[in-house]
Amino acid sequence: MHRKSLLCYVSIFLSVFLFHAPSVSQHNRDLIASYEAAEKFYDRATALSKSADYDEKLEEDYNRRALAGFRGLVQKIPAGPAYDSIRYFTFFRIAELEHYFENYQEALAHYKLAIRTKQQSSLADSLLFTPYLYAGNLFYQMNQFDTAAFYFQQAERVQALYRTPLQETERLYNVLGVLNYEKGDYRHARNYFLKAIEVLQPSHPFYRELYTNYHINLAQVYFRLEDYDEANTIYQKLLALPYRTPYQNEIFHNIGTINLYLGAAAKALTYFRSISYPEGSKSLIRLYNNMGTAFINLGHPDSARWYLQKATDVHHALGRQTDQAAHGLTLKIRGDLEAGTGNPHAALKYYQGAIQAFYPAYADTSITANPSKFSGIFSFLNLFNVLVAKAEAFQLLFEKENAVSWAQQELAAYTSAFDLLSYVESTYNSDDARLLLNRTRYVVHHRPIEVAFRLFVLTKDRQYLEDVYRFDQQNKASILSFKQLTDQLAPANSPLTEQERQLKTSITRLSLRASQQADSTALADIRRQVRDLEIRLEKVQDRIASSTEVAPNRVPRIQQVQEMLDDETAIVSYHLSQRDITIFTITGDDFHAEQRPLPGAFADQVNAYVAGLRESNQEVVSAAGRHLHSLLIPDLDRDARRLIIVPDDELNYLPFEALQDSAGKFLVAKYSVQYQYSTSLLRRQDKDFNAHQTLSFAPFTKGAPTDTALEFSTLPNSLQEIRELDGKVFAGTSATKKNFMDHFGKFPVLHLATHAVAGAGEGQSFISFSPAQRREDFLLHTSEIYNIPLQNNELVILSACETGAGRLVRGEGILSLSRAFSYAGCPNVITTLWKADDLSTAYIMKKIHRYLDEQFSLDEAVRQAK
């Protein structure tokens, strides 16, 4: 454990002590002399640790003498506030030294004594920072991550009291980055690592070591974010430093790991072989694991076994000082090796050991047992991967022996893996982190669906159909679902929620400014501001989350869904895999699922059909529409009049209303069609829009100013679609973004008849209001809409081109302007999929309002207008 002097604490102690004791007695002189004698040995050990003539035994001797001196001093310190300073520093020094000697319980006891002494005194609050930080580090070393996080949070609160960084604040930011990294919240981890690098001063006695360490951590974040180029750039810059980095082995190791992940196993081995970790280093376990994996990838199982055995030997030699997660990876890789060579029984034993290594709270050694409850901070991604690998081993056994029990065990392992992700998702405060988690889930989510459906076919047990449904819905719109639930638990007008919204708005504005910034210095400054705001936002979201706990599993049971349906409504939900399409049909009194084989080039067929609709190619539309109707539309109950479609992947682009049956009849002629992202977002619709009050905007009316830079033309018929609506109308130059922001919460219905752009990147999707000199004054970007509280709005009508278009995020849906309004809290959004003629759009929108006034339901009003 590297230590360093604590900012001349001796002189601080003396000044405080002498202030309280102007007449220095002989006893007090003896106290000072005893402290200085112990401190002298402490300082010698510290100086030796930084010396080129470092001698470990001599350092240990100095530290033992220092510890004996400080311990002997404890009994001599009188009670009373005059001695608080010497008492605090003595306790802290003992804690530091016991920490050095790995007497962890003694160290913790004295860190706590130092904290208690400060809390009961008038000493400076800053003195709490270091014992909180060091105690947190110690709990982290002991794998007590939740307790460590608590102490780090206390240290961070102390730092927040001061404008300038306290001594060792850079270490705090680094360890907070590590904690976020280990729970998979990589964006927040990146922010903390960047903050640690910024705070670290060149005058720091361990500057080179910490500078390298923090940059390695930052590169690892980019590695996890799959930005391999950025990670590699950081490593190459470290290798090009004018001095030899003390972490050259780690850099070569991580560059090798990047190549291993990219499939260049031979190149990875060249880096691994250039590494020379010292004997007994726990980093050897990770190195041998990676070398074993490389040889597996190269088709050399014997070499792989040899290196994995070396990793195991190091683990046993280290004892309690080992890296438990690295050993878990050894077991997981060994299991992969056995499974890959046709020995699933042996693989399962290794996998079960890996589960215990990754999740120490779980102790069941049976290969048929899986964790069902999760708590705390642990290596969740490794645990998820080994549970999936375990499920795949059971699949191998089922394929060999055709025993239903093996398929059931496969499903049980997948259930545990997905319950784990649901738990982890509930601990996140960031949508970015949840989105990354969804990517992890999406890669394998079709597998439990396949095995559950297989079990239903084999057993006819309908519980397996419910399992098929649950696994599918878990991977649909989880971010929207999570947001809706937290909105219900955290009132929109609470001080914390308002603080969160203001921070998000500031971040959005800066991010939009960054997307238009060409000056590199200004861009770097904006990014620093965004990073600091995101760190503040995380703290606010932590406080919100502590009072708004959301249950990990939010998918409603089939019975709960059925209770929301009337006799005329059917839900049709889809799941696409590479080979099949699974179609779920839910009515008030029935639920069934069927699988149909997908035709070749199915995605191309959907794209061709959508293109035919856009281009009014009747021949393509008719032929493809009938084919897709026969594939996608199940047999429905005769009483059904309303369909709620829950699409999947490419089906999000498909307007189901336009599908034609064998007689050429459009689906919309028989059913009203609604769309939903997930059944977890379903709510009973009881809102009556008769005589509704509408806030309307038409900025591009005839004669109003247009924007030539964005090529926004006049929409001469836009005023016609809103001018007769009850409520408030803003047209032409009065249809400003400011008026929208000032009035949106005062009306249940919003109608925007304007131009819109659907783009794929940051700042590229927006709705336009009346043009102004600065874009930020009239363009309402998607990222801004996310931060608008629309819980008081019941309906948004987006009468603009392509407001339903956007980038498809698999499992989450299309990231469109309309989705942004849903995220912001509005339960109903009417949108467009592509460019529409101004006259026909105005005609349809007027019809929708007319049918709503005639007391048609929302979906039926849209159907009648179409």
Side-chain angles (χ1 to χ4, degrees):
M1 171 189 174
H2 271 302
R3 300 183 288 98
K4 56 182 181 298
S5 299
L6 301 177
L7 276 181
C8 299
Y9 278 146
V10 178
S11 62
I12 297 173
F13 137 63
L14 284 176
S15 63
V16 174
F17 174 75
L18 291 174
F19 177 80
H20 287 290
S23 178
V24 182
S25 66
Q26 183 60 45
H27 177 72
N28 290 342
R29 291 193 191 96
D30 291 343
L31 284 178
I32 295 171
S34 297
Y35 189 97
E36 288 179 336
E39 186 74 3
K40 186 178 296 183
F41 286 114
Y42 175 93
D43 289 342
R44 287 178 181 174
T46 301
L48 188 61
S49 70
K50 297 183 287 184
S51 170
D53 299 323
Y54 174 70
D55 184 325
E56 184 177 357
K57 289 186 178 180
L58 185 58
E59 179 192 39
E60 183 176 328
D61 179 62
Y62 287 151
N63 281 327
R64 288 198 185 281
R65 293 188 183 194
L67 179 59
F70 287 122
R71 279 201 167 278
L73 184 62
V74 171
Q75 302 302 323
K76 301 177 183 178
I77 303 174
Y83 300 93
D84 285 339
S85 183
I86 191 171
R87 185 179 297 108
Y88 166 85
F89 290 115
T90 300
F91 285 146
F92 182 75
R93 281 290 191 259
I94 293 172
E96 261 198 305
L97 290 161
E98 295 287 11
H99 196 161
Y100 169 86
F101 286 113
E102 298 180 1
N103 299 323
Y104 293 158
Q105 295 306 320
E106 282 293 317
L108 284 173
H110 284 84
Y111 283 134
K112 291 176 182 178
L113 283 171
I115 291 168
R116 191 180 310 142
T117 300
K118 157 59 196 88
Q119 290 173 334
Q120 295 173 353
S121 74
S122 58
L123 297 174
D125 289 331
S126 59
L127 295 180
L128 285 170
F129 178 81
T130 312
Y132 276 137
L133 175 61
Y134 284 17
N137 278 324
L138 186 46
F139 279 115
Y140 183 83
Q141 286 178 257
M142 298 166 63
N143 296 323
Q144 297 181 34
F145 301 121
D146 290 329
T147 308
F150 168 79
Y151 276 88
F152 293 140
Q153 287 166 4
Q154 298 305 310
E156 196 170 15
R157 285 175 182 154
V158 175
Q159 171 60 73
L161 300 173
Y162 297 87
R163 290 185 177 181
T164 58
L166 298 171
Q167 181 78 355
E168 300 207 72
T169 295
E170 72 284 344
R171 290 180 184 251
L172 172 65
Y173 288 138
N174 180 63
V175 77
L176 289 171
V178 171
L179 284 176
N180 278 283
Y181 176 89
E182 291 192 345
K183 73 175 185 177
D185 195 345
Y186 300 124
R187 182 170 185 138
H188 282 142
R190 182 194 64 189
N191 286 337
Y192 278 117
F193 291 142
L194 286 169
K195 190 71 174 175
I197 292 167
E198 179 186 273
V199 170
L200 181 64
Q201 296 298 311
S203 59
H204 195 293
F206 296 106
Y207 175 77
R208 290 184 177 183
E209 294 93 325
L210 296 180
Y211 178 89
T212 308
N213 185 14
Y214 298 166
H215 276 87
I216 289 173
N217 290 344
L218 180 62
Q220 284 299 94
V221 167
Y222 286 116
F223 172 75
R224 287 298 183 188
L225 292 169
E226 299 181 7
D227 191 346
Y228 303 119
D229 288 341
E230 184 63 29
N232 189 60
T233 297
I234 292 174
Y235 291 133
Q236 296 303 328
K237 286 181 178 178
L238 292 176
L239 291 175
L241 289 171
Y243 53 84
R244 180 179 173 84
T245 169
Y247 293 104
Q248 187 158 340
N249 283 328
E250 286 79 0
I251 294 170
F252 284 147
H253 194 162
N254 291 340
I255 295 174
T257 304
I258 291 174
N259 283 280
L260 188 60
Y261 271 75
L262 293 175
K267 186 176 180 181
L269 281 171
T270 62
Y271 282 100
F272 296 150
R273 286 170 173 148
S274 67
I275 295 167
S276 55
Y277 287 127
E279 187 75 21
S281 169
K282 58 186 178 183
S283 295
L284 284 168
I285 303 176
R286 189 165 68 96
L287 175 62
Y288 294 147
N289 285 343
N290 291 147
M291 296 184 80
T293 301
F295 279 111
I296 290 174
N297 294 348
L298 291 170
H300 301 306
D302 291 339
S303 296
R305 285 191 178 90
W306 191 81
Y307 278 104
L308 293 172
Q309 185 58 53
K310 284 174 70 70
T312 303
D313 293 343
V314 174
H315 162 73
H316 290 311
L318 286 170
R320 70 188 184 105
Q321 300 301 319
T322 192
D323 184 336
Q324 199 65 24
H327 178 58
L329 282 172
T330 305
L331 297 172
K332 197 268 182 184
I333 298 165
R334 186 63 188 270
D336 293 344
L337 181 59
E338 296 299 333
T341 53
N343 195 356
H345 283 287
L348 286 164
K349 292 180 181 178
Y350 284 114
Y351 290 148
Q352 198 66 21
I355 289 171
Q356 293 173 285
F358 294 140
Y359 190 28
Y362 186 72
D364 199 323
T365 59
S366 170
I367 63 169
T368 59
N370 304 290
S372 58
K373 302 290 183 183
F374 304 94
S375 63
I377 302 171
F378 49 87
S379 183
F380 90 88
L381 187 58
N382 287 327
L383 181 58
F384 174 79
N385 288 336
V386 77
L387 285 167
V388 169
K390 183 179 175 181
E392 292 170 346
F394 281 122
Q395 182 183 8
L396 291 175
L397 286 172
F398 173 78
E399 291 171 352
K400 278 187 174 183
E401 303 175 15
N402 201 30
V404 170
S405 60
W406 293 132
Q408 291 169 330
Q409 293 301 330
E410 179 187 355
L411 184 63
Y414 279 126
T415 299
S416 178
F418 278 64
D419 286 349
L420 166 64
L421 291 193
S422 294
Y423 162 74
V424 173
E425 182 182 46
S426 71
T427 69
Y428 285 166
N429 299 326
S430 153
D431 285 345
D432 289 313
R434 295 189 189 102
L435 203 56
L436 282 170
L437 193 69
N438 286 351
R439 287 168 55 183
T440 299
R441 176 162 40 207
Y442 181 85
V443 171
V444 297
H445 83 291
H446 64 282
R447 300 180 195 170
I449 291 173
E450 289 174 356
V451 68
F453 198 87
R454 184 197 312 144
L455 282 166
F456 168 68
V457 172
L458 291 171
T459 67
K460 308 304 179 187
D461 185 344
R462 292 185 63 83
Q463 176 57 45
Y464 291 120
L465 277 189
E466 181 123 8
D467 290 334
V468 175
Y469 154 82
R470 180 169 56 87
F471 280 114
D472 173 59
Q473 296 299 314
Q474 277 182 331
N475 197 61
K476 280 187 163 69
S478 63
I479 292 175
L480 275 179
S481 171
F482 202 95
K483 176 63 163 54
Q484 187 175 88
L485 285 172
T486 52
D487 281 348
Q488 294 170 2
L489 295 170
N493 57 353
S494 72
L496 276 178
T497 304
E498 181 57 33
Q499 190 177 352
E500 178 190 35
R501 186 178 302 117
Q502 290 175 359
L503 286 168
K504 284 184 173 181
T505 299
S506 298
I507 291 168
T508 297
R509 287 174 179 167
L510 285 168
S511 298
L512 291 172
R513 193 182 304 168
S515 68
Q516 301 166 11
Q517 181 60 252
D519 181 80
S520 59
T521 302
L523 183 60
D525 182 60
I526 291 172
R527 286 173 175 166
R528 278 194 293 272
Q529 292 180 62
V530 169
R531 180 203 62 213
D532 290 346
L533 287 172
E534 286 179 339
I535 289 174
R536 288 174 56 191
L537 176 62
E538 182 194 15
K539 303 308 159 196
V540 173
Q541 290 175 327
D542 279 341
R543 293 173 64 190
I544 293 173
S546 66
S547 60
T548 57
E549 186 173 349
V550 177
N553 196 343
R554 299 178 303 281
V555 176
R557 298 190 308 276
I558 292 296
Q559 183 180 350
Q560 293 174 305
V561 174
Q562 290 175 320
E563 290 170 355
M564 289 187 282
L565 303 181
D566 58 32
D567 294 337
E568 295 185 340
T569 302
I571 296 173
V572 183
S573 182
Y574 299 89
H575 167 73
L576 289 175
S577 70
Q578 290 184 342
R579 297 174 300 178
D580 303 302
I581 180 168
T582 306
I583 304 173
F584 307 90
T585 307
I586 309 172
T587 63
D589 57 5
D590 189 24
F591 164 62
H592 63 270
E594 57 180 311
Q595 281 189 345
R596 299 175 178 179
L598 279 179
F602 172 72
D604 292 337
Q605 293 181 29
V606 171
N607 292 336
Y609 175 63
V610 171
L613 286 169
R614 289 174 182 267
E615 299 163 4
S616 299
N617 188 327
Q618 296 302 320
E619 183 178 351
V620 171
V621 168
S622 179
R626 295 185 189 201
H627 176 75
L628 290 170
H629 186 287
S630 66
L631 175 67
L632 299 175
I633 305 302
D635 293 332
L636 297 166
D637 188 284
R638 290 183 181 179
D639 294 330
R641 296 290 180 268
R642 176 184 297 109
L643 298 184
I644 299 176
I645 302 291
V646 184
D648 190 36
D649 289 349
E650 285 80 10
L651 295 180
N652 282 278
Y653 291 117
L654 191 64
F656 280 74
E657 301 96 314
L659 299 180
Q660 296 171 264
D661 62 18
S662 58
K665 193 173 184 181
F666 290 107
L667 193 70
V668 72
K670 187 175 182 180
Y671 304 102
S672 66
V673 178
Q674 301 178 40
Y675 296 90
Q676 189 53 273
Y677 295 96
S678 165
T679 57
S680 60
L681 292 164
L682 287 172
R683 297 293 181 269
R684 189 182 295 276
Q685 179 64 266
D686 53 8
K687 178 66 179 178
D688 182 5
F689 290 98
N690 179 35
H692 52 281
Q693 293 289 299
T694 303
L695 175 66
S696 309
F697 289 81
F700 295 96
T701 57
K702 188 175 182 179
T706 59
D707 189 284
T708 55
L710 294 171
E711 299 181 353
F712 286 163
S713 59
T714 298
L715 300 172
N717 295 287
S718 58
L719 182 58
Q720 301 302 315
E721 66 183 87
I722 65 170
R723 69 188 313 166
E724 298 176 3
L725 299 179
D726 292 334
K728 193 169 187 65
V729 174
F730 289 101
T733 55
S734 69
T736 62
K737 180 179 177 180
K738 182 179 186 305
N739 277 332
F740 174 81
M741 298 302 295
D742 289 343
H743 293 85
F744 69 82
K746 302 173 184 177
F747 296 84
V749 179
L750 305 176
H751 187 127
L752 307 179
T754 181
H755 284 291
V757 170
E762 181 75 46
Q764 294 180 3
S765 296
F766 49 79
I767 293 171
S768 179
F769 291 89
S770 182
Q773 186 173 0
R774 299 189 309 172
R775 287 191 174 191
E776 61 191 75
D777 292 335
F778 74 97
L779 299 182
L780 181 65
H781 291 83
T782 304
S783 52
E784 295 178 280
I785 299 170
Y786 279 94
N787 303 328
I788 299 174
L790 295 178
Q791 289 82 1
N792 293 331
N793 301 99
E794 294 292 335
L795 171 64
V796 173
I797 299 174
L798 299 177
S799 179
C801 296
E802 300 180 310
T803 50
R807 178 170 61 93
L808 175 64
V809 174
R810 298 189 181 279
E812 193 60 30
I814 295 176
L815 301 188
S816 62
L817 287 160
S818 62
R819 182 185 180 279
F821 281 99
S822 296
Y823 181 94
C826 185
N828 301 291
V829 183
I830 296 176
T831 185
T832 59
L833 273 178
W834 45 65
K835 296 185 185 298
D837 173 75
D838 171 46
L839 180 60
S840 58
T841 299
Y843 178 82
I844 292 175
M845 293 302 176
K846 287 182 68 174
K847 287 286 188 180
I848 289 173
H849 284 288
R850 173 189 152 193
Y851 289 123
L852 288 174
D853 287 340
E854 293 177 4
Q855 299 188 346
F856 281 78
S857 63
L858 180 58
D859 62 299
E860 186 61 22
V862 175
R863 186 180 85 89
Q864 291 291 339
K866 288 181 179 180

